[in-house]
Amino acid sequence: MRVLKPLWVSHDDMPIFSIDIHPDGSRFATGGQGDDSGRVVIWNMAPVVSEEKEIDENCPKMLCQMDNHQACVNSVRWSYSGKLLASGGDDKLIMVWSVARYPGGGNAVFGSKGKINVETWRCVATLRGHHGDVLDMAWSPHDTWLASCSVDNTVIIWDANKMPEIVAILKGHSGLVKGVTWDPIGKYLSSQSDDKSIRIWRTADWKQETVINEPFQECSGTTLVLRLGWSPDGQYLVSAHAMNGSGPTARIIERDGWRHGMDFVGHRQAVTCVRFNTNILQNYYKSMNKPLQACCCAIGSRDRSISVWVTALKRPLFAMENLFTRPVLDLSWSSSGLQLMACSGDGTVAYFQFTPKELGTALTMDEKNKLYERLYGKSMAGGCDTSNIAIENPELLSIKEDDSKMEEDVMCEPQKTPPAVKLPPPPPPVVVTSPLQVNKQIETRTSDGRRRITPIFIPPIPDTGDGPVPFGSDSMTFSSSSGAKSKIVVERREDVVVTPNVTTPIKQSPHKSTSSSPVAATANVSQPATTGQQSSTVVPAAVKRSDSNTQSSRKRPRFADKANCQNDAVASAQPPLPVPVPAAATKPATSGHSGALPFLNITSSNSIPVIGSKNVISVENDTLTSPHGLLTRIRLTNGADSKWEYVFGSSVCACIADTKVLCVACKDRTLHIMDTSTGGHLLPPLALPSPASRLVFSPTSSCLLCLTVCGRISVWNLNKKSNIVPSQSVAPVLGSENGVHVSQCFLTDDGIPLVALSNGRAYMFSLDMCSWMKVGDVTDPIVKNSQESYQSASKHLQGNKVLPLNRLQSFIQSRSSNRPRSFVQSFETSPPCTMSFLDQQLSACKAIKSGPEYRFWLLTSVGFFLQHGNEDKLRNICQELLGPSHSTASLTKKWDPKILDLSKHDLLKDVLKEIGARVESQRLYTEFKDQLDALSSKNGL
């Protein structure tokens, strides 16, 4: 083993909080504090590994320094492919970086006193979603998701292929979440928090699998990070800060039953970070008689020491103390498994180099996959051989004999049928180029003798983002002088003379021109003009025009009608120049679509979890080839087992399922209602006005919501096979504002559709009024100036089931940049705004029929009126809840003792508890308390 501390790896004596080695081992990244900002630095690994490279002046040590974060960087993590680097910090942001393959030379780092960036890295995505410092991140296997955790007690799952799209927000921790790690199999995500717990989350439905509390109950104090680690075989999860008796440990949690009876012991202070070697090792130990597969992990602690453990040994492979002057904060292994790096809050890093003799030989990828198949199930990709299946029904034997006889008869007859159709090979990849892109330019001369070269389109060199290139590679260039020589040829045409592009208007003859010579126009592209006989004129094909209808074509609008286009095509001798068409014009026309309704993105997922089950619906769009087109296959799977499969003739654009009903929407404007257990249709396919954009299903009421791309929304009760909401347009809620679209749809248990818009407004469709009602608006000044907010209910109703109004309003609040301003007591308009806000919430709860939320906002209103001494409002509330004998309503009006299935007298008891807590309202409390007791005794309650 070799240990060293490269002192040149430094953030100018500032703390380094995170370190990560690139998958190819050519570089590593550090994150920490910079000068008045957060800092991310990418370093060359060669000077660390080789002493010769370290003293070589031509070998750069620092590759790039990024000071874009506004506060300290707490975590840096490379993706598994090595193409992306994620950094998260105290500024609540996550930045995703990609290297620019053609930087065009080095550039100086601003304010760094001569530091030069050898590489150029650019921020390709900025992820905003956390409301507090980002403490840790982790990429999932195959770079499908990126998980991040924060002091806001949440874990956010980001879609790595559609950044900055959020897949899920995991809420459950009651303290700061300081570490996340993925199961290498991709089934679980684990997080560790200051609330003295580890939570395991399922990736199939993002629900909580289990909570582990016992090993952490005796932990006193906190650490800056709690970076836990998962073994590469997926069998063990090792926690950070845990206790066994009075000693700090790293607790080992077994995947089988989540047992936690073993520890890594020896550190004198709390464990801060755990990092497993990504390889599964195989070695021969003297105490063993045969090679043994094992995993290796490194542990860092607040006692400034590092220990490395191999699961085949009872003692650590080594332990090194006093390596740093401050706690160890992060660890990272190279992909080879023979290099380990650590960083500390003292601003230094340490490097460990091992040999295969010390750690063992890593399993190959094939051996690793075989181990996964043995532990977690055999792959069924090869299909099944049905030739040897025994026939149990005797009737099938006669059918099989008839089929055999038919085949023999066909073989004996002369060949009359055409030969078997040979399917064409799959088409080659389509390369999109400009219609004007050619490899030859044409040089002509104008009438005044000047040269004119026809401009052509030269596409920019794409920045593919294939990841960093190792040093010494021929493809790494730092100067534009090394580019390839241009292959464009300039052809000189002396027989063509072009009139110069001048602004002088051309006088046109009042009579219709009968000349066949082209007319020069004052346009951006000059038209060729002839000087001499028409027969001797040669016009380049790239600029040639038909002579007929030249004058009218100059007056034609940009988008001509279909008839004119057909006439032009007949009259033109050469095809016209292609006219670029805006993307909006190329969208397919859909029934009922208007200019005010934006096109909603049709999205589909390859794996859709079945609600209430561990099964998954696998969607494979356009994967099966047939003589009549591509087919789409869906399957119900449970791990590697496939229970049934079904094929469609059109691509699937939306899918949702529970244990009973499967709903599949296809791009051919059909909606299929199927049985989840058998895969059979429960109803014939429903015809939609346009392809579905979103499907929402309520398992409790079996109600299905469908939103189409043309902006029509429908709700059905699948149990009763009836329609709840007919095809309704969302145009009234979108309005005329540009760029507004539906961000999310929800469905209540009663089948009431709720929609959240991108502009921060939320609406519900009233079945009674047959109209849309606004139930949320974060842009409303009433909401901004109110003392209460949409999040008020979230803090007090966490124990209840998911409540529709709170879910809808929390969604629009989290997606909007218009955050409610903090309450200022001296702000004179705040009390009336709060009163209006509370009244709106109560009316929304009634319309949406949410009893628990109505109770919460009613008690919140009572508290507000008590705070401001509004006795009249309090009296009206109490009288309405008490009953008709003391109500202000007409005696002829029947009084309902319940509201939203809640007893009004029970609500009055809760209201009186709030009133009785204040001495100044004791008279009001006594008045209605006596009357309520009298009514209760009268009714025998």
Side-chain angles (χ1 to χ4, degrees), residues 138-156:
W139 294 87
S140 69
H142 309 297
D143 294 336
T144 305
W145 302 299
L146 173 65
S148 61
C149 62
S150 167
V151 301
D152 61 7
N153 304 352
T154 65
V155 177
I156 296 183

Side-chain angles (χ1 to χ4, degrees), residues 172-425:
H173 284 290
S174 58
L176 285 60
V177 188
K178 295 184 176 181
V180 287
T181 185
W182 293 90
D183 164 24
I185 314 305
K187 186 176 182 180
Y188 298 114
L189 169 72
S190 57
S191 58
Q192 187 166 358
S193 168
D194 265 353
D195 61 5
K196 300 182 180 181
S197 72
I198 285 181
R199 295 180 184 264
I200 312 294
W201 311 85
R202 296 189 299 267
T203 59
D205 55 5
W206 303 114
K207 300 298 183 182
Q208 186 173 282
E209 173 76 9
T210 187
V211 182
I212 302 168
N213 296 304
E214 184 181 349
F216 316 104
Q217 295 305 309
E218 300 178 0
C219 296
S220 60
T222 60
T223 60
L224 182 62
V225 291
L226 293 170
R227 289 174 171 150
L228 64 173
W230 215 307
S231 64
D233 60 0
Q235 292 295 296
Y236 302 101
L237 173 67
V238 179
S239 75
H241 193 11
M243 296 292 291
N244 188 349
S246 59
T249 66
R251 183 59 61 96
I252 302 173
I253 302 170
E254 298 181 55
R255 185 191 189 96
D256 185 11
W258 309 113
R259 297 188 298 267
H260 43 81
M262 298 182 292
D263 303 87
F264 287 128
V265 300
H267 288 281
R268 298 187 302 274
Q269 295 187 32
V271 172
T272 56
C273 52
V274 176
R275 198 76 177 264
F276 268 92
N277 192 320
T278 56
N279 296 310
I280 300 176
L281 306 173
Q282 182 170 281
N283 206 341
Y284 183 88
Y285 297 98
K286 295 181 179 180
S287 59
M288 311 291 181
N289 294 325
K290 61 179 180 179
L292 182 67
Q293 293 177 356
C295 298
C296 175
C297 78
I299 298 175
S301 170
R302 288 184 61 181
D303 61 8
R304 301 165 294 168
S305 66
I306 294 175
S307 60
V308 175
W309 301 74
V310 178
T311 54
L313 301 178
K314 296 182 180 180
R315 295 185 177 181
L317 187 67
F318 82 90
M320 184 165 292
E321 299 179 352
N322 300 322
L323 191 61
F324 302 101
T325 60
R326 297 189 66 183
V328 181
L329 297 179
D330 202 5
L331 299 162
S332 178
W333 290 89
S334 64
S335 58
S336 67
L338 300 178
Q339 296 170 317
L340 171 67
M341 297 194 76
C343 70
S344 170
D346 62 7
T348 62
V349 302
Y351 171 79
F352 303 83
Q353 187 171 13
F354 303 91
T355 63
K357 185 177 180 180
E358 294 170 330
L359 289 184
T361 305
L363 296 184
T364 63
M365 187 56 65
D366 292 339
E367 293 173 336
K368 204 172 180 181
N369 290 332
K370 290 180 180 178
L371 176 64
Y372 288 154
E373 290 181 2
R374 178 169 57 85
L375 293 175
Y376 306 104
K378 185 178 179 180
S379 174
M380 302 298 290
C384 301
D385 184 9
T386 60
S387 59
N388 297 325
I389 297 179
I391 299 178
E392 300 176 1
N393 191 342
E395 296 180 0
L396 294 180
L397 291 174
S398 59
I399 297 175
K400 189 174 181 65
E401 290 175 357
D402 293 341
D403 292 342
S404 321
K405 186 176 180 181
M406 187 179 296
E407 291 179 2
E408 292 177 358
D409 294 342
V410 172
M411 293 177 65
C412 296
E413 292 180 358
Q415 177 95 20
K416 295 181 180 180
T417 58
V421 179
K422 185 177 181 181
L423 295 177

Side-chain angles (χ1 to χ4, degrees), residues 892-910:
T892 59
K893 182 179 178 182
K894 186 177 179 180
W895 178 75
D896 191 350
K898 289 189 176 182
I899 180 171
L900 301 177
D901 293 331
L902 299 175
S903 171
K904 290 185 177 180
H905 282 183
D906 290 341
L907 288 176
L908 180 57
K909 292 178 183 179
D910 296 334

Side-chain angles (χ1 to χ4, degrees), residues 9 40 93 225 249 311 449 507 630 683 695 737 835 844-845 907:
V9 179
V40 178
L93 301 179
V225 291
T249 66
T311 54
K507 296 181 180 179
L630 296 177
L683 294 169
L695 295 178
E737 186 177 349
M835 188 180 302
C845 292
L907 288 176

Side-chain angles (χ1 to χ4, degrees), residues 820-876:
R821 60 180 299 172
S822 58
F823 175 63
V824 181
Q825 189 69 29
S826 61
F827 190 41
E828 60 181 7
T829 60
S830 184
C833 287
T834 304
M835 188 180 302
S836 300
F837 173 79
L838 293 173
D839 181 69
Q840 293 174 8
Q841 291 297 98
L842 288 173
S843 62
C845 292
K846 291 180 182 178
I848 214 168
K849 299 180 181 179
S850 178
E853 291 179 286
Y854 178 83
R855 178 183 179 276
F856 168 79
W857 288 112
L858 176 65
L859 297 180
T860 303
S861 301
V862 170
F864 174 78
F865 296 145
L866 287 171
Q867 180 182 357
H868 291 81
N870 197 330
E871 186 176 339
D872 292 337
K873 290 285 186 181
L874 292 171
R875 184 175 296 275
N876 290 336

Side-chain angles (χ1 to χ4, degrees), residues 744-890:
Q744 189 60 275
C745 297
F746 302 100
L747 195 61
T748 68
D749 293 340
D750 296 328
I752 300 176
L754 312 172
V755 296
L757 305 185
S758 59
N759 59 1
R761 296 188 177 96
Y763 294 85
M764 62 160 284
F765 186 80
S766 173
L767 303 179
D768 299 329
M769 303 296 293
C770 196
S771 177
W772 290 99
M773 294 182 175
K774 186 170 72 171
V775 293
D777 186 0
V778 296
T779 63
D780 190 353
I782 298 296
V783 178
K784 292 182 179 180
N785 294 326
S786 172
Q787 180 179 351
E788 300 293 337
S789 66
Y790 290 143
Q791 282 78 15
S792 300
S794 303
K795 303 175 183 178
H796 300 84
L797 299 175
Q798 293 179 354
N800 293 273
K801 63 179 182 178
V802 178
L803 300 175
L805 184 63
N806 178 247
R807 183 183 181 189
L808 180 67
Q809 293 176 342
S810 298
F811 178 84
I812 61 175
Q813 185 67 73
S814 63
R815 293 300 181 95
S816 175
S817 59
N818 298 305
R819 306 295 182 188
R821 60 180 299 172
S822 58
F823 175 63
V824 181
Q825 189 69 29
S826 61
F827 190 41
E828 60 181 7
T829 60
S830 184
C833 287
T834 304
M835 188 180 302
S836 300
F837 173 79
L838 293 173
D839 181 69
Q840 293 174 8
Q841 291 297 98
L842 288 173
S843 62
C845 292
K846 291 180 182 178
I848 214 168
K849 299 180 181 179
S850 178
E853 291 179 286
Y854 178 83
R855 178 183 179 276
F856 168 79
W857 288 112
L858 176 65
L859 297 180
T860 303
S861 301
V862 170
F864 174 78
F865 296 145
L866 287 171
Q867 180 182 357
H868 291 81
N870 197 330
E871 186 176 339
D872 292 337
K873 290 285 186 181
L874 292 171
R875 184 175 296 275
N876 290 336
I877 293 175
C878 294
Q879 288 176 345
E880 179 62 31
L881 295 176
L882 184 62
S885 60
H886 298 277
S887 175
T888 57
S890 174

Side-chain angles (χ1 to χ4, degrees), residues 18-20 29-31 40 73-78 85-87 137:
S18 183
I19 190 168
D20 204 35
T30 58
V40 178
V73 175
N74 298 317
S75 179
V76 288
R77 292 291 182 261
W78 294 101
L85 173 67
S87 61
M137 299 177 299

